[in-house]
Amino acid sequence: EQSESIFARKVADLTAAFNTIASLYGEEEALAMVKIQPGVLAFEKNNFGPTLEAFGEKFGIEESKEMVKRNPGLLSVKPGSAETADDLTMQLSYVVEFTRPIG
């Protein structure tokens, strides 16, 4: 019984993380990011929105969304760190996308 409740809680956490990503980036984009890097579902979902806003102040919201879609690992960034992002963050998102294995 206890393992079922732990499993159910983990599924609920993963689902909540996916739903948060989908609410910010769109469902298809969220699915694509999870396929690229499944571990994004374990990141702190409460940071997703504030981090996107912080990136958005630097790069613009649409450009920031595209940057994160290229490099879903950026979902792990805390809002305070996102505030200090520079052009290298944007440039590296292209490198990450280009060097990603196909499939």
Side-chain angles (χ1 to χ4, degrees):
E1 273 182 62
Q2 190 173 3
S3 64
E4 283 183 350
S5 64
I6 291 169
F7 179 74
R9 189 177 73 235
K10 287 183 179 179
V11 169
D13 291 346
L14 297 174
T15 301
F18 178 84
N19 289 339
T20 302
I21 296 168
S23 72
L24 296 167
Y25 296 91
E27 197 168 309
E28 290 298 315
E29 291 81 359
L31 185 57
M33 286 190 271
V34 171
K35 284 182 178 181
I36 291 167
Q37 190 172 346
V40 300
L41 295 179
F43 297 156
E44 176 51 60
K45 72 180 183 343
N46 294 324
N47 287 339
F48 296 164
T51 295
L52 179 60
E53 288 177 23
F55 283 142
E57 288 179 20
K58 171 69 179 174
F59 304 113
I61 198 72
E62 290 307 315
E63 292 85 353
S64 297
K65 285 182 178 183
E66 293 300 317
M67 178 180 71
V68 174
K69 287 190 280 186
R70 285 189 297 273
N71 181 6
L74 291 171
L75 289 167
S76 69
V77 175
K78 292 183 170 85
S81 297
E83 290 172 5
T84 64
D86 58 16
D87 291 340
L88 186 59
T89 307
M90 180 65 76
Q91 293 166 4
L92 284 175
S93 73
Y94 288 100
V95 173
V96 168
E97 179 184 44
F98 184 75
T99 59
R100 180 176 301 119
I102 297 173

